[in-house]
Amino acid sequence: MNVVLIGAGNLATRLSSALHKAGVRIVQVYSRTSAHAAELATQLGCSYTDKPEEVTSAGDLYIYSLKDEALPLVLPRITPNRGLWVHTAGSMPMEIFKAFVPRYGVLYPLQTFSKERTVDFSEIPFFIEAATGEDTLLLERIAGLLSGKVQKLSSEKRKIVHLAAVFACNFTNHMYVLADKILKDNGLSFDLMLPLIGETAAKVKDMPPLDAQTGPAVRYDKNVMQRHLAMLGSEEQQEIYEVVSKNIHKEALRNE
Amino acid sequence: MNVVLIGAGNLATRLSSALHKAGVRIVQVYSRTSAHAAELATQLGCSYTDKPEEVTSAGDLYIYSLKDEALPLVLPRITPNRGLWVHTAGSMPMEIFKAFVPRYGVLYPLQTFSKERTVDFSEIPFFIEAATGEDTLLLERIAGLLSGKVQKLSSEKRKIVHLAAVFACNFTNHMYVLADKILKDNGLSFDLMLPLIGETAAKVKDMPPLDAQTGPAVRYDKNVMQRHLAMLGSEEQQEIYEVVSKNIHKEALRNE
């Protein structure tokens, strides 16, 4: 099977590198940024292009791993063929391919990827979807090369998973960013937080997050909260502090 | 050394249990809720009371581990003595003890505690402070029985650490709560998020949180964000989504 990679960002890099290691042949990388395409192609030992029109038609599987807003721009410029076209996006319906090719689907690994950081794919949930049962099986087999956690999921449900992931990962990381800022502004190291961050993440493996909730907002401790608000450096930080605290308290009351 | 424990909540329970295991003798537990005092005292094999006036004066170390608002109410009702009085609170200055006893300080373990969940104390940062150098050494020794990460820290800096911890732990956990809610409302399991949560926490051991940031808010992808807002079930959730996304984008622009 010949795989063509459309995109050379964080997800494209980590996914193609894992496929490559699993023995899958990547034949070409496309990125509109030539340097990115070249860099990834070098790692994978394949050719590359920065022109959609030059993407080979000889691929069996086309993995579109582009920013959501780039996908509708690039898609019409790739020559349609008999290969299976899939994207890796959480919120994008599978049907975006429908007007272009007969075989299409989705291969969505639920993880946060950075180019420089290797991740263990074996534990990553892969959500797959395809227009035909045959291609669903094919995607199951491909994802199964990397992970033990492959499951079919509709575009509707995948959107839900993606939204939840924005909270559990992207917003969580922003809380780390704010902690980092508060500490740095006062000459303290973010490393102090690491055991706390590790335990906060580990705790919800064993108990529902609502039961794991601690801190001044649970009992709406106005003294502490007022002092905290006064210590925060920007209006945005204060706004986040207030709205999150209010909601923590509300959920805690519901959970009593 | 005889330790008296004022409080029987999450932190008091986990800390006293760790001290007990390390061979420290706990002689009495006070809690205004008799059942809580009794339960913890049974685990520690010591006496208990629900009346501040009955707290023994024969202790060498008094660990006050009460809610911030309860501390000023209980403190004046405990008979002053020659023991070292410390509290375990992040935002409370050490000086609250000054009017009552000559020997006082702070023993602040930076971690999230739940009664039922054992934690490995060896990696927990302990921040200590005392009115005299001698008592600072004493607290260093006691905290050193549990953890390899003991450091002196002023009340001012401790407040900063506590504020950062509210973001890194309490607010982070609330993001898990929201993810859990979104998934449950749609018949999906929170367990799907666990590898993602684990990796999000692990990532910031190796790179600054700002560099680890991913997701639609980084590039302010309005299409995805509008769809997400429409999917959220409550105004509070939408408010959190908007204010956090805005700030993620702002920080990402600064980091470019």
Side-chain angles (χ1 to χ4, degrees), chain A residues 233-252:
Chain A
S234 78
E235 267 177 49
E236 287 91 343
Q237 287 175 16
Q238 293 173 335
E239 208 181 335
I240 292 174
Y241 189 96
E242 279 195 300
V243 63
V244 175
S245 292
K246 252 186 241 167
N247 214 46
I248 288 176
H249 183 58
K250 202 173 124 182
E251 294 294 333

Side-chain angles (χ1 to χ4, degrees), chain B residues 93-113:
Chain B
M94 170 174 74
E95 281 69 28
I96 52 152
F97 291 117
K98 208 174 178 175
F100 303 100
V101 285
R103 296 175 59 207
Y104 52 87
V106 176
L107 180 71
Y108 174 52
L110 181 64
Q111 191 48 283
T112 169
F113 298 100

Side-chain angles (χ1 to χ4, degrees), chain A residues 9-221:
Chain A
N10 296 343
L11 196 160
T13 301
R14 298 320 327 168
L15 178 62
S16 62
S17 148
L19 285 170
H20 181 67
K21 260 190 207 143
V24 175
R25 181 165 44 175
I26 321 275
V27 292
Q28 192 185 29
V29 175
Y30 158 83
S31 165
R32 66 170 177 174
T33 313
S34 189
H36 292 171
E39 193 189 341
L40 183 53
T42 306
Q43 287 171 37
L44 301 171
C46 69
S47 71
Y48 68 91
T49 177
D50 60 359
K51 293 177 191 61
E53 292 73 15
E54 285 180 5
V55 167
T56 173
S57 285
D60 301 300
L61 176 67
Y62 290 74
I63 302 178
Y64 286 79
S65 190
L66 299 164
K67 288 174 193 164
D68 284 9
E69 65 269 29
L71 192 46
L73 302 176
V74 174
L75 203 44
R77 297 175 60 190
I78 312 263
T79 312
N81 65 1
R82 286 292 309 164
L84 171 59
W85 291 19
V86 300
H87 71 68
T88 58
S91 328
M92 198 69 83
M94 169 174 78
E95 281 68 29
I96 54 153
F97 291 117
K98 207 173 178 175
F100 303 99
V101 285
R103 294 177 59 207
Y104 53 88
V106 177
L107 181 70
Y108 174 52
L110 180 64
Q111 192 50 283
T112 169
F113 298 100
S114 293
K115 272 190 193 176
E116 325 74 40
R117 184 174 164 85
T118 39
V119 270
D120 173 14
F121 271 79
S122 66
E123 289 294 309
I124 297 179
F126 271 79
F127 300 102
I128 58 160
E129 196 186 4
T132 67
E134 208 174 324
D135 282 337
T136 308
L137 286 176
L138 182 59
L139 288 179
E140 250 169 22
R141 231 182 55 220
I142 292 160
L145 294 173
L146 305 181
S147 166
K149 291 179 170 180
V150 183
Q151 55 178 284
K152 281 190 279 183
L153 199 75
S154 69
S155 289
E156 268 316 299
K157 296 265 180 186
R158 179 162 30 79
K159 263 167 49 182
I160 302 289
V161 168
H162 183 239
L163 176 59
V166 165
F167 282 91
C169 165
N170 305 153
F171 288 5
T172 285
N173 187 75
H174 190 60
M175 300 303 126
Y176 304 160
V177 168
L178 292 171
D180 186 21
K181 228 177 143 79
I182 291 164
L183 291 164
K184 277 224 191 74
D185 285 351
N186 290 279
L188 292 159
S189 160
F190 179 69
D191 285 357
L192 293 174
M193 294 291 127
L194 293 177
L196 180 63
I197 284 172
E199 169 66 6
T200 305
K203 231 173 152 179
V204 294
K205 287 185 201 170
D206 297 330
M207 57 174 91
L210 201 48
D211 293 344
Q213 189 68 56
T214 56
V218 173
R219 47 184 189 277
Y220 218 70
D221 186 333

Side-chain angles (χ1 to χ4, degrees), chain B residues 75-122:
Chain B
L75 203 45
R77 296 176 61 190
I78 312 263
T79 312
N81 64 3
R82 288 292 307 163
L84 171 59
W85 290 19
V86 300
H87 71 67
T88 58
S91 328
M92 197 68 81
M94 170 174 74
E95 281 69 28
I96 52 152
F97 291 117
K98 208 174 178 175
F100 303 100
V101 285
R103 296 175 59 207
Y104 52 87
V106 176
L107 180 71
Y108 174 52
L110 181 64
Q111 191 48 283
T112 169
F113 298 100
S114 293
K115 272 192 192 176
E116 325 71 42
R117 183 173 163 84
T118 39
V119 270
D120 173 15
F121 271 79
S122 66

Side-chain angles (χ1 to χ4, degrees), chain B residues 29-144:
Chain B
V29 175
Y30 158 84
S31 166
R32 67 171 177 171
T33 312
S34 189
H36 294 170
E39 193 187 342
L40 184 52
T42 305
Q43 287 172 35
L44 302 169
C46 70
S47 70
Y48 68 92
T49 177
D50 60 359
K51 295 178 189 60
E53 291 74 14
E54 285 180 4
V55 167
T56 173
S57 284
D60 302 301
L61 176 68
Y62 291 74
I63 303 178
Y64 287 79
S65 190
L66 298 165
K67 286 173 193 164
D68 284 10
E69 66 268 30
L71 191 46
L73 302 177
V74 173
L75 203 45
R77 296 176 61 190
I78 312 263
T79 312
N81 64 3
R82 288 292 307 163
L84 171 59
W85 290 19
V86 300
H87 71 67
T88 58
S91 328
M92 197 68 81
M94 170 174 74
E95 281 69 28
I96 52 152
F97 291 117
K98 208 174 178 175
F100 303 100
V101 285
R103 296 175 59 207
Y104 52 87
V106 176
L107 180 71
Y108 174 52
L110 181 64
Q111 191 48 283
T112 169
F113 298 100
S114 293
K115 272 192 192 176
E116 325 71 42
R117 183 173 163 84
T118 39
V119 270
D120 173 15
F121 271 79
S122 66
E123 289 294 308
I124 298 179
F126 270 81
F127 299 103
I128 57 160
E129 195 185 7
T132 69
E134 208 174 321
D135 282 337
T136 308
L137 287 176
L138 182 59
L139 288 179
E140 251 170 21
R141 233 183 53 220
I142 293 161

